[in-house]
Amino acid sequence: MLRSLQKKPFLLVSFIYSLISWYICWFWVAAYRSFLQFNQQAIDDGVSIPLQIFGLLRAGLGQGISGFDYYRFKLYQTSSMLWWQYVFDFQLPFFHSTYQFNAISPTSQTFLSNKLTFAQRLSKAGGQTVATLDSVNLHDNWAIEAWLKLSDNVFIKPESASRSIGCVSLTRHDTDWQFDYLGKQYYGDEGLNAVKALLPACKYIVQPLLSHHSEMSTWQDSDKTITLRVVSCLEQGKCHLVIGNLELNDDSHRRFNVFAIDVLNGSVILDQDYCAKVMRVDLTTRVTIPFWPSVVDEITLAHSLCADVHTVGWDVVITDTEVVLLEGNINWGVNPLQYTAQAPLLPLLISQSSQFAVTPTKAPTVDLR
């Protein structure tokens, strides 16, 4: 926070306003709602209601931590001396800019924000990306029949977007086109017009819809593509993987089941409840992501093309034959990674980067490895 204020002093006004409104109103609202939703989870973990209430007060009034983060990070099981090591929601607007240190060049900014440029530059450098079938504007005449001749399953996405905003999958349903957007299906010319009315007005790229490795198909009850989210850090010319998640699809709930990746070897532990539900095995199962050394190599190559960006979050798909990078993100999300690993992010960054080093007098650090 202090580094952010040094870079942008005008944020002090916003900080004071947020502080007052937090103590008067929003802390109490968040604490009450989160307690109703998650108190049983904490009781199951052996934490009594009085201890939960004390922890909520200490976290919210002492450090400005939301009650939802208090429960999701399971801070009731962690010493309050170590809470500072997490990155919380209220820190996100300035977290990445504060810990970037160096200015990001326009070349790197474009590489990581424009999906077409990303695919072209990475492919030219020898990396594996998704082939681009076409590039169109929202109100162009979309050559759908031509696309479906090139690929049975097509994925349409904005050149510059994040969090799957504006992404549409296209396939053939009997004699009609079928569009899948935000969990709903649309058909034929009427469906195309309906989807276009919902999409943001921008330029789109058209690519084949990737299928994940056949071995990974046994990990979920869905035919949707399995994606990895992996964060890398470039320190003194060397690329290190910091943390990662495996996202498995759940069609019945329209959400992801997320599991932490051991970035040293690409292994993942699927919890017992999930295995019993999906894989029908009465055992906590360890799986290994196929081609993991190639995942490391592809990310290392891609990060070398934006070497002035200290940390990047990558979206990765493993097919039957190769590792494909979908995109890289400067402002990668931190909460899902911390929720899944049940570990704070800052010690991991500190262990990978001298730029993140802190003096021992400020707060203790822990080695989570």
Side-chain angles (χ1 to χ4, degrees):
M1 183 188 73
L2 292 177
R3 287 179 181 174
S4 297
L5 293 177
Q6 288 172 1
K7 289 185 177 183
K8 300 178 180 179
F10 66 86
L11 293 175
L12 184 61
V13 176
S14 176
F15 171 71
I16 293 174
Y17 170 78
S18 299
L19 198 65
I20 294 173
S21 61
W22 174 255
Y23 281 105
I24 293 177
C25 178
W26 296 118
F27 158 71
W28 304 100
V29 172
Y32 176 72
R33 292 176 60 190
S34 61
F35 176 79
L36 291 181
Q37 185 173 347
F38 295 110
N39 77 86
Q40 187 58 52
Q41 166 192 296
I43 291 173
D44 294 341
D45 288 335
V47 181
S48 66
I49 288 179
L51 285 178
Q52 291 180 51
I53 294 174
F54 177 74
L56 284 168
L57 293 171
R58 188 168 188 175
L61 300 180
Q63 296 189 31
I65 299 170
S66 164
F68 291 99
D69 283 341
Y70 172 78
Y71 282 109
R72 287 171 180 159
F73 290 135
K74 295 190 176 182
L75 298 184
Y76 49 77
Q77 295 181 333
T78 305
S79 168
S80 60
M81 293 294 292
L82 302 180
W83 291 353
W84 71 275
Q85 296 179 340
Y86 289 85
V87 180
F88 298 101
D89 275 339
F90 66 89
Q91 297 166 322
L92 277 180
F94 312 108
F95 169 73
H96 289 293
S97 62
T98 299
Y99 283 90
Q100 172 57 34
F101 289 96
N102 302 315
I104 298 174
S105 67
T107 301
S108 294
Q109 187 77 44
T110 302
F111 175 63
L112 294 175
S113 63
N114 187 292
K115 294 178 177 63
L116 183 58
T117 301
F118 176 82
Q120 291 172 339
R121 286 194 59 200
L122 185 56
S123 179
K124 186 176 181 180
Q128 299 297 324
T129 63
V130 190
T132 300
L133 306 178
D134 204 350
S135 178
V136 293
N137 286 308
L138 177 64
H139 300 297
D140 287 344
N141 180 27
W142 286 8
I144 292 177
E145 286 298 332
W147 301 342
L148 290 174
K149 288 180 181 179
L150 296 172
S151 177
D152 292 335
N153 297 285
V154 173
F155 196 64
I156 306 164
K157 60 185 180 182
E159 281 191 4
S160 301
S162 60
R163 301 178 184 272
S164 300
I165 296 173
C167 294
V168 181
S169 60
L170 163 67
T171 189
R172 195 178 295 282
H173 178 75
D174 296 330
T175 59
D176 262 344
W177 306 325
Q178 177 176 318
F179 303 90
D180 287 89
Y181 182 57
L182 298 179
K184 295 183 178 180
Q185 288 74 46
Y186 303 84
Y187 299 94
D189 287 318
E190 185 178 341
L192 173 61
N193 293 330
V195 168
K196 280 190 170 185
L198 297 172
L199 292 175
C202 61
K203 197 160 189 176
Y204 290 79
I205 57 175
V206 183
Q207 299 177 329
L209 181 64
L210 293 178
S211 297
H212 52 254
H213 195 283
S214 53
E215 178 186 334
M216 301 172 75
S217 296
T218 62
W219 301 354
Q220 66 177 20
D221 280 340
S222 173
D223 59 0
K224 292 181 180 176
T225 305
I226 295 173
T227 306
L228 316 182
R229 314 282 180 178
V230 184
V231 176
S232 65
C233 172
L234 194 64
E235 171 73 5
Q236 297 179 349
K238 293 184 179 180
C239 182
H240 306 276
L241 302 192
V242 179
I243 194 170
N245 277 351
L246 168 68
E247 294 186 350
L248 301 179
N249 299 283
D250 185 343
D251 289 342
S252 60
H253 296 92
R254 294 182 182 176
R255 60 178 176 81
F256 296 115
N257 294 284
V258 186
F259 302 95
I261 300 172
D262 184 337
V263 295
L264 296 179
N265 55 27
S267 64
V268 180
I269 295 179
L270 308 179
D271 65 64
Q272 188 171 353
D273 290 341
Y274 179 81
C275 292
K277 173 185 173 184
V278 177
M279 303 179 69
R280 298 176 177 84
V281 293
D282 190 22
L283 180 68
T284 298
T285 302
R286 178 185 291 270
V287 298
T288 300
I289 295 171
F291 306 140
W292 183 252
S294 296
V295 174
V296 178
D297 291 343
E298 286 292 324
I299 289 176
T300 300
L301 173 62
H303 207 151
S304 71
L305 300 178
C306 53
D308 52 343
V309 184
H310 200 60
T311 59
V312 181
W314 306 96
D315 293 351
V316 187
V317 170
I318 315 294
T319 72
D320 275 323
T321 58
E322 61 189 2
V323 174
V324 179
L325 295 192
L326 302 181
E327 62 179 326
N329 299 281
I330 296 174
N331 296 312
W332 44 274
V334 297
N335 278 3
L337 294 162
Q338 294 178 117
Y339 294 156
T340 306
Q342 287 296 301
L345 181 62
L346 292 183
L348 295 175
L349 290 174
I350 290 168
S351 69
Q352 296 289 341
S353 172
S354 61
Q355 295 193 66
F356 294 145
V358 296
T359 58
T361 56
K362 289 186 178 180
T365 61
V366 293
D367 186 354
L368 297 177
R369 298 174 298 172

